[in-house]
Amino acid sequence: MLKKFFLVVIISVTGQFLFAQSDTGTVTGKIMDGEFNDVLPFANVVLKGTTNGATSDFDGLYSLEIEAGTQTLVFSFLGYETKEITGIEVTPGQTVELNITLKPSSTSLDEVVVTTTTRKNTEASVLNLQKNSVTLLDGLSSEGIKKTGASDIASAVKRVPGVSVQDGKYVYVRGLGDRYTKSILNGMDIPGLDPDKNTVQMDIFPTNILENLIVLKSASAELPADFTGGVVNIVTKDFPSSKQMSFSVSGGFNPDMHFKDNYLSYEGGGTDFLGFDDGTRKLPISSTANVPLPPSDNGTLEGITRSFDPNMAAQRKNSMPNFSLSFSYGNQFDVGSNGNKLGLIASLDYKNTTSFYEGFDEGVYQKWSEPDKYELRYDRRRIGDLGINNVLLSGLAGLSYKTEKSKYRFNILHLQNGESQASFYDQSTQVSNSINVFKHYLEYKQRSVTNLLFSGKHSNEDASFITEWSVSPTRANVQDKDARLTTFIVNNDDTYSISSDAGYPVRLWRDLVETNIVGKVDFTKNFSLFDRKSVLKFGGLYSYKQREYSIYSYDIGFRAINTVDFNGDPDAILAPENIWTPETNSGSFIRGNFQPANTFDANQNTAAFYVSGEFKPFEKLRAVIGLRGEYFTHFFTGENNNGTRKLDDEKVLDAFDLFPSANLVYELKDNMNLRGSYSRTIARPSFKEKSLVEISDLLTGLVFIGNLDLAPTEIDNIDLRWELFGDDAQMFAVSGFYKYFKNPIEIVAYDNTAPTNFTPRNSPSAEVFGVELEARKHLGFITEGLKNLSVNLNVTLIDSKIDMAPQEYEARNNFLKEGETIDEKRELQGQSPYLINAGLNYKSEETGLETG
C-alpha cells in the first residue's frame, strides 16, 4: 500500500512537470473576516463579467481556475463590503496567491465596492492580521521572511520588535530569558534539542515550509499560561497553493576558524557527520557491573580497563568551513470526484559548522573579602584552545486530507544533533585550591527529538460551530557520550603528574530520555450579541511529561606506577603497556560502580480548561475576556549525593491556578487602533531545578544543584499600544508594558565558600518596564522613484529591577566601605537594556524580487 501511494505521488509530480503549460491559471488564497481576526467561510469569489466563480470553505480557503491574462475578481459576502481586485496577472499553468479581508458594511443591505490592485508584497497581509487581532501580536509572513534573504527563522525573526536571538537559535521576547518565552509548533508544545529550555531552536526550521511566524505578546485564555515575554507560534504550510520545490547549498568561511592546521579534534565514529555516534563511544560495560579494585583479582579488571577507548588526548587537525544544504517539496492533489484534497509537504535540512577558539580565556571570578579592593580575583581561570564541530540534521514531513467539512493533518518532525569538542588548556586556581594544572577535555553530545502531530478540524453546515483537536507525542534523547577529562599537575620542575590534589582522569556518560504527550480540544461558537457577531471559545488540554536522567561516572586509578613517566601525554594513561595486570600488580585501571545519586525519574502533569468570549459592546470597541485554569503536579524519584535524602515518586509540586485575561481594542480610525490588555501568567521550575540533582560540568568545574523548595513565579502583565497602519505595508506603532513578578527564579552562587556551585532560588519580587517602537516606511514621499525602497526600524528599551534576597543583600552590604549604601534592588537577570534593529528593503517591479 505504501509503495502504491508513493508511486501515485511520483506519477503526479512527473505529470505536472511535463504538462504544466496550459492557457489557464489558478488564483487561490484565504478570505478573512475584517470584524474579527478569523476566516470567513462560504464567501463568494467571481471572475468579473462571468459566471465563473467559487466559494470559500470552512477554512476560508478558495481556489478558482481562470483564463491567463490580466483579470479582475469580485469578493462578496452577505452583510459585508464587496471588494473588487483588479490587475491580477494570471500566468498559464501557474498559481497566484491572493488573500483578501472583507469588512462588515455600515448597513447590511447596502453594498460598498472597494477597488484596489493586487500586490506581490504580502507583508501587508500580516500587518492586516496584526491590525485585526484582539491580542497583541507581531509576526512575519513567509514572503516577509524571504524578503530578508534569511534561510531559517532565527535569521529573520530579529525583525520583530522586542525579539532577540541568543546563540544564533534561541528566541527571547522583550529581553526576558528562556524561562519566560515559549515556542510552539502549529499551536502545540514541542521540546527542542535542549529539554531544559522553553524555546525551540529556530535555526532548524527552513523558511520555505512556513506559512507564518506569529509572536503573541499578550495572553488569552486559549494560550498556555507558562509564558510571560511571548509565545512564538511556528505555523507550517499544510495545503500548498501550488507545487513548490526548492534545493539550496551554501557554505561559510571565517579566516579565524577555518582552514586552521592547529584546530583541535579527536577520533570519533564513522557517523559523526550525520549527527549521531555509531557506537564507538558507548559505555563498554554494563552500567550495573561491579568493577573490582586491585590487588583483588577476579579475572575481570584488566579486561574492563582494556575495553575503554584509550584515546584521551586532543589532537591537532585541519578545520573545515561551514556547509549546509536543504531540500523542500510541497503540493496538493485532488482525491476523488467530490473535491477532496490531499496535501503533501516535506523538508530535509543539513548543517555542519566548525568553530575554533584559539587562546580562549575564561573563568570563575569573585570579589575580595576586603571592601577597599574593587577588582575581581579569579577562583579558576582557563586559557587554551577549543575546537567544536556541530552537525544538525532535521526532517519534516506532513500529510493533510480535506473534505467538505473536515480536515485531518499528520506531521512528523525529527531533529538529530551531534556536537563534538576537544580542548586543552592551562588552569590556575587561587581561592578554593591553589594549584596550576594542564587539562585535556574531549566531549560528544548527541541529541535527538522526534515529534508526531495528529490534528483535525470539523465544521457544521454553516460553519457557526467549529471543533478542533490535536494530539502530539514527543520523545527526546540527550546523551553525553564518553566525556573524557585528564588533569596533569604542573610541577615546579616542569614535569607533569596526576594525583588526588587535582583529580584523577574521568570518563563520564549522561543519559536523558523525556517523553511528552499533549492533547487538546477547542470549540468555537459564533453567535450574536449586542446585534453584532460574537465568538465563544472553550476547551481543554492535558499534558504529560516524563523524564529519566542518569549519570555513569568512572575514573582512572594508578597502582605502583609513576605518573610523571607519562610526560603529560593523556594517551599514555591507557596505553597497553601501562594497564594494570594481575601478574605485575601495577599500572592504570578503571574504577567506579553504579551510584543511585543523580539518577532520577520525574514527571509533570498539566490539566487545563478555558473559556473566553470575543464581542463588540460598542461599534468601535472589541474585547476578549477569558479565564484559564491549570492544575499542575510534579512528581520526583531520586536521592542526593550523600544519600541523606531519598524520594520515591513524591509529589513536590501540587497547585491549581486561575489565569484571567482581558484584551481591549478601540478603533480610533479605520487605520488606527488603541490597545490595552491585562493577564496573569506563570513560570514553573524545570525538572532539574526542582530536584535533588548535583550535575557537574567537567570542562568548567561548575556544579548545578537542584532546589526542591523552589516555588513557581507568578506574573501580572499590563500592555498598552497605539498603532497606525498605512498603505503599501507601512505602519507605525508605540507600545508600553509592565510586568510584576512574584517569587522570580534566579540562578545564583550557592555560597561564598563554594563559588563554583550554582542553584536556582526564589527572590522576593521583580518589576519590568518597557517601551517598543516599530516603523515601516517607504521613501515614495521623497520621489515616486523611491517608492519601492523602504526603511524598517524597531527599538525596544527595557528597565528591570529585582528585590534582592536577604542573604544576597547581607553579602553585598559586607563588601561596602564605611558610609556607602546599596539599593535593595538590582537589574533582573536575563534582561537586555535595549534592542535595536533597522534595515532597508527594495522591491523590483520588473522581477518581483525583494532584497534586504
Side-chain angles (χ1 to χ4, degrees):
M1 184 65 185
L2 187 61
K3 291 182 178 179
K4 291 182 179 179
F5 170 75
F6 281 112
L7 181 61
V8 170
V9 172
I10 292 172
I11 293 174
S12 300
V13 172
T14 305
Q16 291 188 50
F17 274 115
L18 296 177
F19 306 106
Q21 298 299 320
S22 67
D23 57 355
T24 63
T26 302
V27 179
T28 184
K30 181 179 290 187
I31 304 176
M32 298 293 295
D33 185 342
E35 184 175 15
F36 286 86
N37 187 31
D38 201 357
V39 299
L40 191 61
F42 310 128
N44 299 313
V45 52
V46 178
L47 178 63
K48 187 176 182 180
T50 73
T51 59
N52 184 13
T55 301
S56 63
D57 62 15
F58 67 92
D59 268 339
L61 298 175
Y62 73 93
S63 180
L64 181 62
E65 185 175 344
I66 58 179
E67 292 185 359
T70 303
Q71 304 289 2
T72 298
L73 293 181
V74 179
F75 296 82
S76 63
F77 189 72
L78 182 63
Y80 285 70
E81 298 174 347
T82 296
K83 181 170 286 190
E84 187 176 287
I85 307 297
T86 64
I88 305 172
E89 297 292 339
V90 180
T91 304
Q94 301 298 313
T95 298
V96 177
E97 185 172 354
L98 181 61
N99 299 321
I100 295 297
T101 298
L102 298 182
K103 295 183 178 181
S105 59
S106 56
T107 303
S108 61
L109 297 180
D110 292 339
E111 184 177 86
V112 178
V113 178
V114 178
T115 303
T116 183
T117 56
T118 182
R119 297 187 305 271
K120 294 180 181 179
N121 180 7
T122 58
E123 192 174 35
S125 65
V126 173
L127 290 180
N128 191 61
L129 180 71
Q130 182 176 328
K131 173 186 175 183
N132 294 319
S133 171
V134 177
T135 56
L136 182 63
L137 64 82
D138 288 291
L140 293 173
S141 67
S142 57
E143 288 80 3
I145 295 175
K146 291 177 182 177
K147 214 170 93 170
T148 67
S151 60
D152 56 65
I153 302 178
S155 304
V157 73
K158 291 180 287 187
R159 294 184 60 203
V160 177
V163 172
S164 60
V165 177
Q166 303 295 321
D167 299 327
K169 50 193 173 184
Y170 296 113
V171 173
Y172 290 179
V173 180
R174 289 179 163 177
L176 293 165
D178 169 77
R179 187 186 307 280
Y180 305 108
T181 302
K182 190 175 186 69
S183 296
I184 55 179
L185 178 65
N186 296 315
M188 297 292 283
D189 279 8
I190 172 175
L193 295 177
D194 188 341
D196 291 316
K197 291 183 178 293
N198 261 348
T199 57
V200 181
Q201 286 186 222
M202 292 298 168
D203 60 342
I204 63 177
F205 295 101
T207 58
N208 47 25
I209 65 170
L210 296 178
E211 184 70 28
N212 53 50
L213 178 72
I214 301 299
V215 181
L216 298 133
K217 297 179 179 177
S218 65
S220 59
E222 62 266 29
L223 294 175
D226 54 340
F227 83 95
T228 298
V231 172
V232 181
N233 189 15
I234 306 163
V235 183
T236 60
K237 296 177 180 177
D238 55 356
F239 272 91
S241 57
S242 60
K243 179 178 66 66
Q244 299 174 355
M245 182 181 295
S246 68
F247 177 76
S248 65
V249 179
S250 63
F253 168 72
N254 185 329
D256 292 329
M257 292 189 175
H258 303 130
F259 298 120
K260 307 281 285 187
D261 57 7
N262 59 341
Y263 172 74
L264 287 177
S265 182
Y266 74 100
E267 195 66 31
T271 57
D272 285 4
F273 75 100
L274 293 175
F276 65 91
D277 177 63
D278 61 359
T280 301
R281 302 177 180 88
K282 71 177 182 180
L283 182 62
I285 62 175
S286 170
S287 60
T288 58
N290 182 31
V291 181
L293 292 173
S296 61
D297 177 20
N298 60 4
T300 60
L301 180 58
E302 180 183 355
I304 288 174
T305 303
R306 294 188 186 276
S307 68
F308 280 69
D309 190 332
N311 181 15
M312 298 282 287
Q315 303 167 358
R316 296 288 189 184
K317 293 185 177 181
N318 286 314
S319 57
M320 295 292 101
N322 297 337
F323 171 78
S324 65
L325 61 87
S326 66
F327 171 80
S328 67
Y329 172 81
N331 207 347
Q332 61 170 292
F333 310 94
D334 293 326
V335 180
S337 58
N338 53 1
N340 296 347
K341 293 183 180 296
L342 177 69
L344 170 66
I345 187 169
S347 173
L348 182 67
D349 283 81
Y350 175 82
K351 296 180 181 180
N352 191 317
T353 59
T354 301
S355 304
F356 179 53
Y357 303 95
E358 186 177 9
F360 74 85
D361 188 343
E362 61 180 7
V364 178
Y365 293 81
Q366 290 182 312
K367 293 184 68 175
W368 291 87
S369 57
E370 295 84 354
D372 57 342
K373 292 185 177 181
Y374 295 98
E375 293 186 2
L376 295 175
R377 62 171 176 173
Y378 62 84
D379 174 61
R380 297 184 183 186
R381 186 183 184 189
R382 297 176 294 277
I383 300 176
D385 297 346
L386 169 65
I388 302 174
N389 179 245
N390 189 286
V391 174
L392 176 63
L393 181 63
S394 63
L396 173 68
L399 286 174
S400 298
Y401 180 69
K402 191 171 186 178
T403 67
E404 182 181 0
K405 297 183 179 63
S406 296
K407 180 171 70 175
Y408 302 90
R409 187 175 184 181
F410 170 72
N411 275 5
I412 180 170
L413 171 69
H414 182 78
L415 312 175
Q416 186 70 46
N417 177 240
E419 182 178 276
S420 174
Q421 66 171 280
S423 64
F424 57 67
Y425 53 91
D426 295 298
Q427 176 176 298
S428 299
T429 307
Q430 285 190 347
V431 180
S432 53
N433 181 22
S434 181
I435 195 172
N436 295 324
V437 298
F438 178 68
K439 296 191 176 189
H440 280 249
Y441 182 66
L442 312 178
E443 180 184 69
Y444 188 80
K445 294 182 179 179
Q446 178 178 304
R447 294 170 286 190
S448 66
V449 175
T450 302
N451 170 260
L452 303 179
L453 172 65
F454 304 88
S455 65
K457 183 176 182 179
H458 312 279
S459 167
N460 64 348
E461 290 292 336
D462 61 356
S464 62
F465 189 83
I466 301 293
T467 301
E468 297 179 82
W469 57 268
S470 299
V471 178
S472 181
T474 305
R475 185 172 179 87
N477 287 272
V478 180
Q479 298 173 305
D480 292 332
K481 303 187 68 115
D482 200 0
R484 313 166 202 181
L485 176 67
T486 306
T487 303
F488 286 98
I489 298 174
V490 181
N491 301 311
N492 293 332
D493 58 356
D494 293 330
T495 61
Y496 300 94
S497 61
I498 300 174
S499 76
S500 59
D501 292 337
Y504 290 99
V506 177
R507 308 289 288 267
L508 183 141
W509 284 258
R510 278 196 287 249
D511 293 329
L512 183 154
V513 179
E514 182 172 322
T515 301
N516 294 0
I517 301 177
V518 183
K520 72 171 184 175
V521 60
D522 302 286
F523 303 97
T524 303
K525 172 63 178 176
N526 296 322
F527 65 100
S528 179
L529 183 65
F530 307 116
D531 293 327
R532 300 180 182 92
K533 177 182 174 182
S534 300
V535 180
L536 174 67
K537 294 183 178 181
F538 58 98
L541 172 145
Y542 181 76
S543 170
Y544 171 79
K545 300 180 180 181
Q546 186 263 344
R547 178 180 295 186
E548 297 178 24
Y549 182 80
S550 56
I551 297 178
Y552 308 105
S553 180
Y554 303 86
D555 66 6
I556 301 175
F558 306 97
R559 182 174 180 85
I561 188 172
N562 189 354
T563 60
V564 174
D565 295 337
F566 295 149
N567 294 318
D569 180 12
D571 283 344
I573 296 173
L574 292 180
E577 65 273 15
N578 291 326
I579 291 179
W580 179 90
T581 64
E583 293 76 19
T584 62
N585 196 24
S586 65
S588 309
F589 59 92
I590 294 293
R591 59 186 180 184
N593 289 297
F594 173 75
Q595 299 176 349
N598 284 340
T599 298
F600 74 85
D601 186 353
N603 65 81
Q604 295 176 347
N605 305 268
T606 304
F609 69 90
Y610 76 90
V611 59
S612 72
E614 183 175 351
F615 54 93
K616 293 185 69 174
F618 305 103
E619 181 66 29
K620 297 291 186 180
L621 180 65
R622 289 190 296 146
V624 173
I625 308 297
L627 180 67
R628 185 180 184 89
E630 290 191 356
Y631 177 56
F632 181 86
T633 56
H634 184 166
F635 296 85
F636 180 83
T637 298
E639 62 183 76
N640 59 5
N641 270 1
N642 53 26
T644 58
R645 191 175 184 185
K646 298 181 181 180
L647 301 180
D648 185 9
D649 199 29
E650 183 167 330
K651 188 182 293 184
V652 295
L653 184 57
D654 184 354
F656 174 76
D657 298 288
L658 293 174
F659 304 97
S661 61
N663 291 270
L664 304 175
V665 180
Y666 187 78
E667 186 179 344
L668 298 171
K669 296 180 179 179
D670 287 342
N671 64 342
M672 185 187 301
N673 290 330
L674 181 63
R675 299 178 177 272
S677 69
Y678 164 79
S679 62
R680 178 170 295 170
T681 56
I682 196 167
R684 300 184 179 101
S686 67
F687 277 110
K688 75 174 185 179
E689 288 177 334
K690 199 168 181 66
S691 71
L692 294 173
V693 302
E694 296 184 19
I695 303 173
S696 177
D697 188 298
L698 293 181
L699 178 61
T700 64
L702 301 179
V703 180
F704 179 91
I705 301 175
N707 180 5
L708 278 177
D709 298 324
L710 209 58
T713 304
E714 299 175 3
I715 308 105
D716 290 297
N717 310 273
I718 298 176
D719 288 90
L720 292 173
R721 180 170 182 157
W722 175 85
E723 54 193 14
L724 174 66
F725 297 89
D727 296 330
D728 302 317
Q730 299 179 104
M731 65 93 64
F732 182 81
V734 179
S735 307
F737 58 89
Y738 168 78
K739 300 179 183 296
Y740 176 80
F741 299 74
K742 180 182 178 182
N743 298 321
I745 300 172
E746 293 199 297
I747 306 298
V748 300
Y750 196 71
D751 56 46
N752 292 333
T753 62
T756 58
N757 291 352
F758 291 85
T759 189
R761 185 182 67 194
N762 289 113
S763 293
S765 64
E767 294 177 303
V768 173
F769 299 85
V771 177
E772 294 174 339
L773 183 147
E774 180 181 9
R776 304 182 190 183
K777 177 68 175 176
H778 66 66
L779 303 184
F781 67 94
I782 300 176
T783 176
E784 186 67 20
L786 294 178
K787 187 175 182 179
N788 293 321
L789 183 64
S790 62
V791 178
N792 300 330
L793 172 69
N794 67 71
V795 179
T796 303
L797 303 176
I798 301 170
D799 180 50
S800 60
K801 298 294 182 183
I802 187 168
D803 289 318
M804 288 186 285
Q807 55 268 48
E808 180 184 356
Y809 182 73
E810 181 180 351
R812 288 174 177 260
N813 262 323
N814 292 336
F815 287 103
L816 295 180
K817 297 174 66 175
E818 185 176 353
E820 289 183 330
T821 61
I822 62 170
D823 194 347
E824 294 183 0
K825 296 178 182 288
R826 59 164 169 78
E827 186 174 331
L828 178 63
Q829 293 177 5
Q831 285 291 325
S832 302
Y834 59 86
L835 301 168
I836 298 178
N837 184 35
L840 288 173
N841 293 290
Y842 177 73
K843 176 188 171 189
S844 169
E845 292 290 348
E846 289 76 18
T847 64
L849 299 177
E850 302 184 48
T851 58

